[in-house]
Amino acid sequence: MTTNSSKYNITVIGAPGVGKSAITLRLLYQEFVDDYEPTKLDSYQTMMDYQGQDVDVQITDTAGQEDYASVRDTFLRSGEGFLCVFSLTDSDSYSHIEELYNQVKLAKSMEPPQLPFLIVGNKSDLESSRQTKTEDAQRFAESLGVKYMETSAKNNENVTEAFQFLIGMLVESRSAETAPIESNTGKKKKKKNGGIKRFLCGLA
Amino acid sequence: MVTAHERCSISDIVCHVTSYTVFGCPLSKLCSRQKVSVPRVITDCIEAIEYRGLKSGGIYRISGNSASIQKLRFKFDREETVDLKDEEFDINMLTGFLKLFLRELPEPIIPFNQYPIVENAINNDRSCGHEATLTTLKRVVHDLPEPNKSTFKYLILHLVRVAHEEENQMDEHNLSIIFGPSLLGNHPDKANLLVDLPIQNTAIERIITNYRTIFK
């Protein structure tokens, strides 16, 4: 098995305070970081295993704040896979999903099933404060043509699975791209440029 | 095309009949029309927020329902009488509403022409020392045109009270992340949010933390 050297990007989006950073840091450090600082923008590099293959993954953790919308928009364009998070205990955050989905669709000029987009209901450990039913979120995701999962960054439930799902989509679509038979699919996919990296450093 | 702000500044009568009477209207226009030193939307909102109490977790961070916030915005733009203390408005909706008003201002409360001065002070913070930065920030605030100065003070003193409540987890630092870009924006032509953000955050955090010195 060869090592896939090219990098895949997963961008984590969603309303403020839903646990985007908690999910990201759980994946990266296997611990629950209970820090209450709102994120401006963070970027991480990590290796993930996909079907026995080492995959180089860049994770972009974005701000949920509307005041940071212009930063987010830049990263919607450069993102490849989207982990769209809401909190199961905050129905307002659930109501933001559709808008975010439309923004991503527009930024990427792509639709499901090609669009690597996953809706994640986080904080499944807080069952007694749940405001969104699993069936409702499931049905809503289906109506958009995307997948739905429930996670708990606190109890480490489904976090790796959520990222794995998107990595799977990205790896598959890229290998389909390089296959000679389907030479036309995803031709527009942009190569990541140095500019983005520099931006990220600027904020660190 | 005539934009909302242009229309707003043409005449108050024109402004009055369009739906942009409050949101997107320059601070000075709004205040002189309402004959107040702080726009009513800000005082009404903050009074209602403080009436609810400032202990709510993630206050100003958690976003309220955006459809309800938009509805409320149209009511204010039509200058309908709205009692923000009514139970139908939850705390996250009220804070989201206030943040929306600040974002929609054609120019931030600290005007664009002051941005380079603040930027310079923050960038030289290490070499010139905290005291020098505070002196500059104090001068910038002192030199603000009247409605901006009163509004800024009113808002910052509220944020001081918010930061004071430990239960809400929104200290000066977290509040500065939320309010930095809307209170102290760079001119759109020169803005690079990724460079500007740390400057905006640091400046606003310093102002909240040192409000006594700043507003003395």
Side-chain angles (χ1 to χ4, degrees):
Chain A
M1 208 27 96
T2 52
T3 302
N4 192 328
S5 59
S6 49
K7 206 182 289 169
Y8 295 91
N9 171 280
I10 292 180
T11 300
V12 188
I13 55 175
V18 297
K20 295 179 290 298
S21 304
I23 287 180
T24 304
L25 297 172
R26 164 61 84 183
L27 177 86
L28 294 167
Y29 304 119
Q30 289 305 319
E31 60 180 11
F32 181 57
V33 182
D34 196 7
D35 183 2
Y36 206 72
E37 185 181 345
T39 303
K40 290 178 259 182
L41 183 78
D42 288 309
S43 179
Y44 308 90
Q45 312 281 346
T46 188
M47 282 290 210
M48 284 184 75
D49 176 79
Y50 180 70
Q51 294 183 346
Q53 205 181 130
D54 272 342
V55 186
D56 198 356
V57 183
Q58 179 192 48
I59 300 171
T60 309
D61 181 17
T62 64
Q65 295 299 324
E66 266 317 301
D67 308 87
Y68 290 70
S70 59
V71 185
R72 187 180 58 223
D73 292 348
T74 310
F75 287 89
L76 289 189
R77 285 192 291 277
S78 63
E80 289 181 292
F82 298 89
L83 197 74
C84 186
V85 188
F86 71 95
S87 164
L88 291 165
T89 66
D90 172 11
S91 57
D92 288 336
S93 72
Y94 177 64
S95 73
H96 280 85
I97 297 285
E98 188 163 12
E99 195 186 333
L100 285 165
Y101 167 78
N102 287 328
Q103 285 172 9
V104 171
K105 227 170 55 168
L106 201 71
K108 303 305 292 179
S109 330
M110 233 196 256
E111 302 232 359
Q114 279 75 33
L115 184 67
F117 191 94
L118 176 68
I119 299 178
V120 164
N122 188 41
K123 308 194 188 181
S124 64
D125 50 286
L126 299 174
E127 193 53 48
S128 58
S129 329
R130 179 190 276 269
Q131 292 186 354
T132 303
K133 285 189 194 144
T134 306
E135 309 83 77
D136 291 346
Q138 190 81 51
R139 218 172 299 133
F140 174 62
E142 270 167 31
S143 75
L144 302 178
V146 301
K147 278 268 184 208
Y148 172 66
M149 263 189 206
E150 291 189 352
T151 59
S152 165
K154 193 172 186 182
N155 295 347
N156 197 13
E157 276 162 26
N158 266 342
V159 172
T160 312
E161 288 80 352
F163 282 94
Q164 286 283 358
F165 173 80
L166 283 172
I167 289 296
M169 281 192 85
L170 293 175
V171 172
E172 297 306 327
S173 77
R174 211 178 273 182
S175 57
E177 226 174 274
T178 48
I181 319 151
E182 294 178 54
S183 57
N184 274 334
T185 53
K187 219 176 183 176
K188 274 195 208 157
K189 189 160 280 180
K190 276 179 214 154
K191 272 253 183 281
K192 242 169 268 111
N193 56 41
I196 292 151
K197 240 182 181 167
R198 207 173 55 239
F199 276 161
L200 288 167
C201 295
L203 196 67
Chain B
M1 199 183 85
V2 184
T3 68
H5 313 321
E6 282 166 10
R7 228 183 287 168
C8 187
S9 55
I10 290 168
S11 88
D12 288 345
I13 299 152
V14 177
C15 184
H16 191 79
V17 294
T18 65
S19 56
Y20 300 105
T21 47
V22 175
F23 280 68
C25 188
L27 210 54
S28 53
K29 284 270 154 197
L30 187 57
C31 286
S32 73
R33 197 180 64 235
Q34 295 186 336
K35 298 189 175 61
V36 287
S37 52
V38 181
R40 238 174 262 141
V41 56
I42 291 187
T43 50
D44 284 5
C45 225
I46 287 180
E47 273 172 27
I49 290 164
E50 298 200 348
Y51 171 78
R52 288 294 153 76
L54 302 174
K55 292 184 175 15
S56 176
I59 184 170
Y60 282 108
R61 179 184 185 185
I62 307 299
S63 58
N65 184 287
S66 45
S68 316
I69 292 173
Q70 286 300 336
K71 244 187 247 168
L72 194 55
R73 171 214 179 119
F74 287 123
K75 285 191 176 170
F76 266 78
D77 273 336
R78 279 191 238 107
E79 304 199 307
E80 288 177 24
T81 314
V82 185
D83 179 14
L84 292 179
K85 287 180 183 161
D86 194 292
E87 270 183 24
E88 69 170 296
F89 309 118
D90 68 50
I91 188 97
N92 297 328
M93 192 184 150
L94 292 172
T95 56
F97 182 62
L98 180 64
K99 289 198 293 177
L100 179 68
F101 174 78
L102 296 175
R103 268 205 307 282
E104 296 273 306
L105 284 172
E107 193 167 18
I109 296 183
I110 298 181
F112 294 133
N113 63 14
Q114 296 297 305
Y115 188 80
I117 300 168
V118 176
E119 182 182 33
N120 194 39
I122 299 296
N123 284 338
N124 293 322
D125 188 49
R126 216 169 267 171
S127 55
C128 301
H130 284 12
E131 286 304 314
T133 311
L134 272 189
T135 307
T136 309
L137 290 174
K138 189 179 172 175
R139 200 178 58 234
V140 167
V141 171
H142 183 264
D143 292 347
L144 286 175
E146 193 30 62
N148 299 51
K149 200 199 286 188
S150 311
T151 305
F152 191 67
K153 185 174 179 184
Y154 190 86
L155 202 57
I156 293 293
L157 292 185
H158 166 65
L159 295 182
V160 169
R161 292 190 287 274
V162 174
H164 194 71
E165 293 284 352
E166 264 180 41
E167 216 172 309
N168 63 32
Q169 293 187 283
M170 296 301 288
D171 57 13
E172 292 85 352
H173 177 73
N174 287 351
L175 288 170
S176 75
I177 294 177
I178 309 295
F179 284 93
S182 57
L183 291 179
L184 179 65
N186 197 354
H187 194 279
D189 293 346
K190 300 174 204 146
N192 177 354
L193 252 187
L194 294 174
V195 177
D196 296 334
L197 278 175
I199 293 164
Q200 295 161 338
N201 299 152
T202 310
I204 297 302
E205 186 177 345
R206 289 284 170 82
I207 292 172
I208 302 176
T209 313
N210 299 287
Y211 70 99
R212 282 205 180 94
T213 313
I214 299 286
F215 295 109
K216 198 155 54 184

